[in-house]
Amino acid sequence: MKKIAILGSTGSIGTQTLEVINNNKNIFKVELLTANSNFKLLANQANKFNPKVVIINDVTWVDELSKLIKNPKIEILHGTESLNNFSKYCDIDLVVTAVVGKSGLLPTVNAINNNVDIALANKETLVVAGRQILDLLKKSKSKLLPVDSEHSAIFQCLNGEKKSNLEKIILTASGGPFRGKDLNFLKSVNKENALNHPNWEMGKKISIDSSSLMNKGLEVIEAKFLFDVDIKDIDVIIHPESIIHSMVQFNDGSIIAQLGEPDMRLPIQYALGYPERLNNSYKRYDFINSGSLNFEKPCYKTFNNLKLAFDAAEKEGNSPCILNAANEVVVSAFLEDKIKFLDMTYIIEESLNKISYIANPNLDQLIETDRLTREYTQEKINKY
Ligand code: NDP
Ligand code: MG
């Protein structure tokens, strides 16, 4: 039995991970679950999967949670300290990092320091501290397995291939709900429009990121670190149907792609089962009856976030960390109707210009960069 922890079990990736586990109860055992504040769902999950430990980040809900959990043997913890040190409370083989934003960074570091394998959904961690995570991984037995569908695709395409033969990574993007629109159109879009993704049902933060193409920008940085490639060797192409999840091109011109229905349970299952491929009965892609597959060039002028992300990836140092922190703050402000859609990218760009650049930051300097950027970005928002 593989012993699994899910950080963020009440979210979109977390609940789909539990579905995959439920379909494979003979090989996976849930040991630890966490949520931010959704104590009702966390309690339901605990009652169904019987983990050793549950952690609720927001202390307000501990008593309510305790009342709902039936098995008195389940240890109930709370707070960020517990989350950040999750692996000390029970024996874990693999953790699924399905929390959102920078909150995934320290739990991921904890997993690496304790040789726990990681199924990484929380891309922000690699954006904030990709180089530092790579360094820590070199000293650890942990495997870092991608859950993001594009990165799972690339990982699968690279199976058995020599890294030196890789010419480029072709990262596909659906284009989100505003594909093909111009700046004038984007001036007046609201959060309901932005949350309405054509192909995927996801948490709010990543849905907004998808609409602004920041998600693809974060994924470019994620790919750079996961596969340790030069940023010039990553191309983004729009593929509205989200059937080809990404491709790799080799030195002989051959391209290998990974295809399938847009269903996050597939990359989740692949990461959980790796190196095995597990059975399932999910919908199969039908080439004959599914219509054509299309490709377009992304417009970097309209979707400035994508350009900002490529630039930050090129500069490296603490630039991706600034990009991420500013983005997390503006996305929250946009969801609270405090700023308009295009203000998000303007404020991120200003933050990137304003916060001091550090070429080789350590983890503490990145945490400080994150704090300063959030402070600066929030001040900007308050003036709107
Ligand atoms: P959701 O918003 O649906 O879920 C987030 C989870 O994290 C919830 O369990 C939430 O708890 C918990 N959480 C939120 N904030 C905090 C915090 N500050 N501290 C501790 N826990 C917290 O997000 P998604 O599942 O959509 O995304 C999770 C990660 O996976 C993101 O990094 C995203 O980019 C990535 N990802 C998601 C995909 C998707 O299809 N959804 C696809 C590819 C990557 P609560 O429910 O109590 O609020
Ligand atoms: Mg993705």
Side-chain angles (χ1 to χ4, degrees), residues 117-326:
D117 287 344
I118 300 158
L120 181 98
N122 176 245
K123 64 192 85 183
E124 292 92 340
T125 286
L126 276 192
V127 175
V128 172
R131 190 62 60 198
Q132 294 69 19
I133 296 285
L134 290 190
D135 288 345
L136 287 174
L137 279 167
K138 282 184 200 141
K139 294 177 234 150
S140 163
K141 291 193 191 110
S142 301
K143 282 196 282 289
L144 190 58
L145 304 160
V147 166
D148 215 346
S149 56
E150 296 78 358
H151 305 74
S152 174
I154 297 160
F155 186 72
Q156 294 179 55
C157 294
L158 287 172
N159 261 344
E161 297 288 346
K162 273 197 196 137
K163 168 93 189 303
S164 55
N165 291 339
L166 172 69
E167 196 167 79
K168 70 175 173 184
I169 284 176
I170 304 167
L171 202 64
T172 53
S174 71
F178 305 138
R179 180 176 63 85
K181 304 296 186 200
D182 61 12
L183 275 175
N184 206 29
F185 182 90
L186 294 184
K187 270 185 197 155
S188 56
V189 297
N190 60 25
K191 68 178 175 205
E192 284 74 26
N193 309 136
L195 287 169
N196 189 18
H197 196 281
N199 304 346
W200 303 94
E201 275 222 19
M202 310 178 284
K204 281 188 179 164
K205 196 256 174 186
I206 186 177
S207 297
I208 300 298
D209 285 348
S210 298
S211 72
S212 68
L213 291 206
M214 181 55 95
N215 182 51
K216 209 47 56 181
L218 300 178
E219 290 185 357
V220 166
I221 302 172
E222 181 185 12
K224 169 182 163 139
F225 290 117
L226 259 178
F227 305 109
D228 205 8
V229 292
D230 200 293
I231 200 69
K232 290 191 185 68
D233 299 334
I234 304 177
D235 277 359
V236 171
I237 59 168
I238 305 285
H239 164 46
E241 294 81 17
S242 297
I243 296 299
I244 299 180
H245 298 304
S246 276
M247 307 178 247
V248 289
Q249 181 173 310
F250 292 97
N251 56 337
D252 59 355
S254 285
I255 296 173
I256 300 187
Q258 187 261 342
L259 288 76
E261 287 289 329
D263 182 341
M264 282 310 295
R265 292 174 303 178
L266 296 183
I268 293 170
Q269 174 177 304
Y270 188 74
L272 290 187
Y274 183 82
E276 302 299 326
R277 248 182 218 285
L278 308 175
N279 290 326
N280 65 39
S281 54
Y282 306 150
K283 186 175 170 209
R284 269 46 176 165
Y285 181 64
D286 177 346
F287 275 92
I288 305 300
N289 296 309
S290 297
S292 53
L293 300 179
N294 294 280
F295 305 94
E296 299 163 12
K297 225 174 119 172
C299 179
Y300 288 82
K301 241 176 140 183
T302 309
F303 295 97
N304 184 50
N305 277 345
L306 195 51
K307 182 182 174 304
L308 295 180
F310 265 101
D311 291 348
E314 175 95 60
K315 269 180 95 177
E316 236 197 82
N318 62 343
S319 294
C321 174
I322 300 170
L323 177 93
N324 179 71

